[in-house]
Amino acid sequence: MCKLSLLFISRIGRGCTVKNEISRKLLSWTETLFEKMRAIRAASILSPSFAFIRIQNKFLPTRCLHLATAAGSEAAADRFWEACVDCWRPNVEDVDRISWGKPAKKKGTGSRGVPHRLNREERTLFDLARKKGHLEVAGSAWRAQRREAPLLNTYRSYCDARGVASVVLQKSEGGDGDLVTMDLSPLRRPDAFRDWAEECARRVQPLTPEIPDAADDDYSDYTPADDGVDSWKSRPIYQLPPFYITWSLQRADAKKLCKQLSSMFETGDPKVSRSRKPVGVKPGKGRRSGGYGIG
């Protein structure tokens, strides 16, 4: 669009029907407009649902990408959880980029030691999970080629970018013992994990989950150190421990629970579009092509 504007301006100049001063003013106005558009796009996703961003002494309204997708609705009024807003989080676009094997623009989004690149089948499951609000995988989603589970890593980073819990349905072979796991670590509030887990268990009764013992809640390595740095506010999600709440259910009950948890923690985004393959993505072993650690 910017190139079209410049081409339009150049053609006006050639016609000699408008003075150069008008052309310069139009060019300046176009550049200012794109600066404001980029500033709005780069606005924090943790701002209120309808925020006002100050740009050159002017207040421009913008709508946040997440963190209160249901703000003002009944779901927001009944919300018992609250994600940390004063912390480091990746960008949703960067999470999508590393899932294709492309480098992220924001440092810390991915790691060469944590695979994130998805194959075609995993891509389909990931796109469905973004809409439904929960991920459905066969078994543990382990991929032997990567000796890891890139789909789970990518989805956890995606939930961290949006500031929501990660809900995953791990399907068993016969459907008799499906495992529903919900990870609260993307909310980045370790002091409230246990209270939220107990409240969640109360709301989904009579289904009884497995909650980690209080003795296992040792976050001493992730709490503010002598230098005042809180790891939960500064580290990427793949460097933080998960907090799993698990249920073992039949297939039908497991799917109903996933829908209930997705609604309770507002994890779904029905309007999200399918991810598109970026230009220049090729299979290979090099780092730029999504080699070891990137996918």
Side-chain angles (χ1 to χ4, degrees), residues 7 51 55 69 73 107 138 141 166 208 217 226 241 255:
L7 180 60
I55 304 175
T69 53
S73 64
K107 186 178 180 180
S166 173
T208 304
D217 297 348
D226 296 337
K255 288 191 173 183

Side-chain angles (χ1 to χ4, degrees), residues 154-207:
T154 300
Y155 187 66
R156 190 184 183 210
S157 295
Y158 172 76
C159 292
D160 181 45
R162 298 184 65 234
V164 296
S166 173
V167 182
V168 179
L169 170 58
Q170 298 179 351
K171 299 179 180 179
S172 60
E173 187 172 348
D176 297 330
D178 291 357
L179 190 66
V180 177
T181 62
M182 182 171 65
D183 183 13
L184 298 180
S185 62
L187 301 177
R188 293 179 179 263
R189 293 282 301 278
D191 55 330
F193 286 166
R194 183 160 298 280
D195 295 336
W196 293 343
E198 293 175 355
E199 176 63 20
C200 177
R202 185 185 66 81
R203 296 194 179 199
V204 299
Q205 288 181 353
L207 303 178

Side-chain angles (χ1 to χ4, degrees), residues 249-265:
L249 304 168
Q250 297 288 331
R251 178 68 51 83
D253 294 334
K255 288 191 173 183
K256 290 180 181 179
L257 177 60
C258 286
K259 292 181 180 179
Q260 187 176 357
L261 295 176
S262 300
S263 176
M264 188 183 304
F265 286 89

Side-chain angles (χ1 to χ4, degrees), residues 2-260:
C2 186
K3 292 182 178 179
L4 292 176
S5 300
L6 294 176
L7 180 60
F8 174 72
I9 294 171
S10 63
R11 289 184 177 179
I12 290 179
R14 292 173 188 172
C16 297
T17 57
V18 182
K19 294 182 179 180
N20 293 335
E21 183 65 23
I22 298 178
S23 299
R24 285 195 294 268
K25 287 184 178 180
L26 182 58
L27 177 60
S28 176
W29 176 83
T30 305
E31 292 177 350
T32 303
L33 176 62
F34 276 93
E35 287 179 1
K36 291 180 179 180
M37 292 175 63
R38 284 192 293 267
I40 291 175
R41 187 177 183 181
S44 173
I45 64 172
L46 306 180
S47 59
S49 183
F50 286 95
F52 286 88
I53 301 175
R54 186 168 185 171
I55 304 175
Q56 296 181 356
N57 298 324
K58 293 183 180 180
F59 290 90
L60 302 177
T62 181
R63 187 182 183 91
C64 73
L65 297 178
H66 176 68
L67 249 317
T69 53
S73 64
E74 295 180 0
D78 194 36
R79 184 189 302 157
F80 61 90
W81 54 272
E82 191 68 34
C84 180
V85 297
D86 185 19
C87 63
W88 183 94
R89 290 185 185 276
N91 187 284
V92 175
E93 293 181 358
D94 276 347
V95 174
D96 187 64
R97 285 177 61 85
I98 65 175
S99 72
W100 289 101
K102 301 289 286 185
K105 297 180 180 179
K106 192 174 184 180
K107 186 178 180 180
T109 302
S111 170
R112 298 193 69 185
V114 182
H116 288 89
R117 186 171 184 174
L118 308 179
N119 58 27
R120 183 176 299 178
E121 180 182 355
E122 292 169 340
R123 175 72 52 187
T124 302
L125 296 176
F126 178 67
D127 288 339
L128 290 174
R130 294 196 300 170
K131 285 189 176 183
K132 296 189 297 184
H134 66 274
L135 178 66
E136 297 185 9
V137 298
S140 61
W142 181 271
R143 185 136 59 93
Q145 294 88 342
R146 293 298 179 190
R147 299 180 182 178
E148 249 282 9
L151 179 56
L152 298 183
N153 295 335
T154 300
Y155 187 66
R156 190 184 183 210
S157 295
Y158 172 76
C159 292
D160 181 45
R162 298 184 65 234
V164 296
S166 173
V167 182
V168 179
L169 170 58
Q170 298 179 351
K171 299 179 180 179
S172 60
E173 187 172 348
D176 297 330
D178 291 357
L179 190 66
V180 177
T181 62
M182 182 171 65
D183 183 13
L184 298 180
S185 62
L187 301 177
R188 293 179 179 263
R189 293 282 301 278
D191 55 330
F193 286 166
R194 183 160 298 280
D195 295 336
W196 293 343
E198 293 175 355
E199 176 63 20
C200 177
R202 185 185 66 81
R203 296 194 179 199
V204 299
Q205 288 181 353
L207 303 178
T208 304
E210 294 183 11
I211 302 176
D213 296 333
D216 298 334
D217 297 348
D218 184 12
Y219 298 129
S220 57
D221 295 337
Y222 307 94
T223 53
D226 296 337
D227 55 1
V229 177
D230 188 349
S231 298
W232 283 94
K233 293 185 177 182
S234 59
R235 290 191 187 184
I237 193 66
Y238 53 82
Q239 293 182 0
L240 299 174
F243 187 93
Y244 289 127
I245 311 171
T246 59
W247 292 263
S248 181
L249 304 168
Q250 297 288 331
R251 178 68 51 83
D253 294 334
K255 288 191 173 183
K256 290 180 181 179
L257 177 60
C258 286
K259 292 181 180 179
Q260 187 176 357

